[in-house]
Amino acid sequence: KILHKEYEIFGEVYKLERYEWHTDFRAKKSWPKVHISKIKYDKLGDDADKKVPWEMNTFHHFIPLALESLQTEEKLFVDEIEQQLTDWAKENPYEIGINWVNSMECAIRAINWIYTYTLTEKDLNKETKKEWVKQLLLHGTFIRSNLEWSPAKENHYLTGIAGLFLLGLFFKNADTGKKWT
């Protein structure tokens, strides 16, 4: 289904023509691609829900693609991963758009990307690897600078810490040529 751009988000199935990383598909509304300081993510003046784009942008769907690639040894699953990562990087510059507003969402995305990278590294092209490492460095920088601590958001803080921990392990153990400090 993922190869055909069909996604289930919160119990609803959406068939996409293209990746719409900033859109609530139910409300058919998109957040602007502006700096996060200018985004009013709780209010678009309608029933749009920020959690719809966030759910797709956490990339939970990458791990099944990576596992399918390992099981079948078919390159089309890795090709889909590479295409989505490249498109996401192009459409979501650092601190631009709804997908950079919340460091917990960035940490979940980074965790899923790390696992996927680890599972597919041998089949990724050189340019994708380079972009992936760049994105993980940006995510680590963002998470570290925007940890969300409050008694009401302990899960956000702990998720951010988990993301930073896994980023540290990734950059310590992966052959990326980059260090995480």
Side-chain angles (χ1 to χ4, degrees), residues 45-72:
D46 49 44
D47 62 347
D49 186 351
K50 64 190 176 287
K51 292 181 181 177
V52 174
W54 283 352
E55 186 65 17
M56 185 166 175
N57 284 272
T58 53
F59 286 84
H60 293 297
H61 62 278
F62 261 21
I63 294 172
L65 285 172
L67 292 172
E68 194 67 28
S69 172
L70 289 174
Q71 290 174 351
T72 65

Side-chain angles (χ1 to χ4, degrees), residues 1 5 11-12 30 35 53 78 102 104 120-121 136 156 174 176:
K1 292 180 180 181
K5 294 181 180 60
E12 281 192 57
S30 297
H35 189 268
V78 172
N102 182 302
M104 180 177 80
T120 60
E121 179 181 10
L136 287 172
H156 288 233
T176 64

Side-chain angles (χ1 to χ4, degrees), residues 58 102-109 146 148 155-157 159-160:
T58 53
N102 182 302
S103 65
M104 180 177 80
E105 300 299 324
C106 289
I108 294 168
R109 180 169 46 250
N146 295 283
E148 303 171 85
N155 62 322
H156 288 233
Y157 182 74
T159 304

Side-chain angles (χ1 to χ4, degrees), residues 134-147:
K134 174 185 166 188
Q135 290 300 318
L136 287 172
L137 283 168
L138 290 172
H139 278 66
T141 300
F142 183 82
I143 296 162
R144 185 174 56 199
S145 299
N146 295 283
L147 283 172

Side-chain angles (χ1 to χ4, degrees), residues 72-126:
T72 65
E73 297 183 0
E74 290 187 37
K75 181 90 167 88
L76 65 125
F77 299 103
V78 172
D79 291 344
E80 180 68 17
I81 289 167
E82 289 181 323
Q83 183 181 1
Q84 285 192 35
L85 180 80
T86 301
D87 192 72
W88 192 93
K90 183 180 81 180
E91 295 296 321
N92 292 276
Y94 186 69
E95 293 191 343
I96 302 296
I98 188 74
N99 299 307
W100 287 102
V101 168
N102 182 302
S103 65
M104 180 177 80
E105 300 299 324
C106 289
I108 294 168
R109 180 169 46 250
I111 291 167
N112 285 325
W113 281 358
I114 289 167
Y115 281 115
T116 303
Y117 183 96
T118 303
L119 292 169
T120 60
E121 179 181 10
K122 67 178 179 52
D123 296 319
L124 296 171
N125 72 50
K126 186 177 178 180

